[in-house]
Amino acid sequence: MANVKMFKLLGIMLALILIVWAISPFLKHQPITNDIMATAIILILIAIAYFIILFNPSWTKAVFFFEGIVIGVSGYMLLSHPYNLEFLVVGLIIIVIAVLAYLQKLPPNILKWFYR
């Protein structure tokens, strides 16, 4: 049986891997494009969200809402045509899920992830 410390440790490791993955193009001196910038912004903010949710689970809904905004806006602003609309739709779906979680209008099996 896995314990809570092990899950927190795995969450921290995942967040650090996301941060390293986001900054690796900058460290390799690759040409910086809008795709690289959008990917780096999204990965770093998702890693920060993991840190926040791991140490303060009551902020899950707010962080999820914020991540939806970041994914939608940065994807729409920085990516080219077919991908920017996809990221905008994904961001809007995440925002809708976060608002429904605030209003407690989601099914109970999904709400358990927001209210621990």
Side-chain angles (χ1 to χ4, degrees), residues 6-7 26 38 50 53 68 79-80 85 108 112:
M6 184 61 151
F7 283 121
F26 300 104
Y50 277 156
I53 291 171
L79 297 176
S80 60
L85 297 177
K112 71 179 178 183

Side-chain angles (χ1 to χ4, degrees), residues 38-105:
T39 304
I41 290 169
I42 291 170
L43 288 176
I44 289 173
L45 288 175
I46 288 173
I48 292 170
Y50 277 156
F51 280 129
I52 292 171
I53 291 171
L54 279 173
F55 296 110
N56 195 353
S58 64
W59 283 24
T60 303
K61 296 175 296 299
V63 169
F64 203 63
F65 182 78
F66 177 71
E67 287 295 322
I69 292 172
V70 168
I71 289 171
V73 170
S74 64
Y76 184 74
M77 297 290 289
L78 296 173
L79 297 176
S80 60
H81 174 59
Y83 304 110
N84 65 351
L85 297 177
E86 292 171 8
F87 271 82
L88 182 64
V89 169
V90 168
L92 289 174
I93 290 170
I94 292 172
I95 291 170
V96 167
I97 291 171
V99 169
L100 290 174
Y102 270 118
L103 299 174
Q104 297 184 358
K105 299 290 184 183

